[in-house]
Amino acid sequence: MRNSDSAEQNGIIRGYLKGETREFYLISNWIEQVVNHYSWGLNYYSEDIIQEVRLKVFVNLKDTNFRKSAQLKTYVCRIAKYTCIDFLRKAKAGTVENMDSLEIAEKNDALGDLISREKENILKT
């Protein structure tokens, strides 16, 4: 790899980690191209997968898991590809759940507990 390519890649990585708009959209475009290639099997989860890949790329770049001798675009596209494949495997195995069908357990909070105890006290008297 030439020094200019390495310097450019380092600039893209630094920009992405800082949240620079240009670098964010550049890497996001690479991710979206790969995810859109698998969109036939991803149904309406594409946007979630794109977000998951962005997070994985961010964490891997921040932890310096990226070898500087490799191409950054290839690295990002492979993360996206294998994330899509993992999702498709889970979907085929039937382990992907529909988020709309999940019931969310109500959290007990201090105010709710206080109100329910006060109601019980009022009803007892």
Side-chain angles (χ1 to χ4, degrees), residues 57-76:
V57 168
F58 181 84
V59 169
N60 285 333
L61 292 177
K62 188 174 183 180
D63 292 342
T64 61
N65 291 338
F66 172 65
R67 290 186 324 224
K68 303 295 182 183
S69 62
Q71 288 290 321
L72 179 62
K73 182 176 181 178
T74 303
Y75 181 74
V76 170

Side-chain angles (χ1 to χ4, degrees), residues 5-121:
D5 289 343
S6 179
E8 182 181 350
Q9 286 189 161
N10 288 338
I12 293 171
I13 291 169
R14 278 193 305 275
Y16 187 73
L17 294 176
K18 288 182 181 178
E20 305 267 338
T21 306
R22 180 180 141 332
E23 286 79 5
F24 177 81
Y25 282 115
L26 178 66
I27 290 178
S28 291
N29 187 31
W30 295 341
I31 294 168
E32 289 172 10
Q33 287 175 354
V34 174
V35 172
N36 287 338
H37 178 73
Y38 290 95
S39 65
W40 55 267
L42 302 177
N43 299 331
Y44 51 89
Y45 292 105
S46 295
E47 208 44 55
D48 294 336
I49 293 170
I50 290 171
Q51 291 295 339
E52 184 177 336
V53 174
R54 283 181 188 147
L55 180 62
K56 285 181 180 181
V57 168
F58 181 84
V59 169
N60 285 333
L61 292 177
K62 188 174 183 180
D63 292 342
T64 61
N65 291 338
F66 172 65
R67 290 186 324 224
K68 303 295 182 183
S69 62
Q71 288 290 321
L72 179 62
K73 182 176 181 178
T74 303
Y75 181 74
V76 170
C77 289
R78 282 197 176 165
I79 292 173
K81 175 184 174 183
Y82 289 115
T83 302
C84 290
I85 290 171
D86 287 344
F87 178 84
L88 292 171
R89 283 182 186 148
K90 288 178 187 175
K92 185 177 180 184
T95 59
V96 176
E97 296 180 14
N98 185 354
M99 297 302 283
D100 297 330
S101 67
L102 294 177
E103 290 186 30
I104 299 173
E106 291 185 26
K107 276 187 161 180
N108 290 334
D109 58 336
L111 181 59
D113 290 339
L114 181 63
I115 291 172
S116 62
R117 277 189 257 141
E118 286 297 319
K119 286 181 182 178
E120 287 175 17
N121 287 337

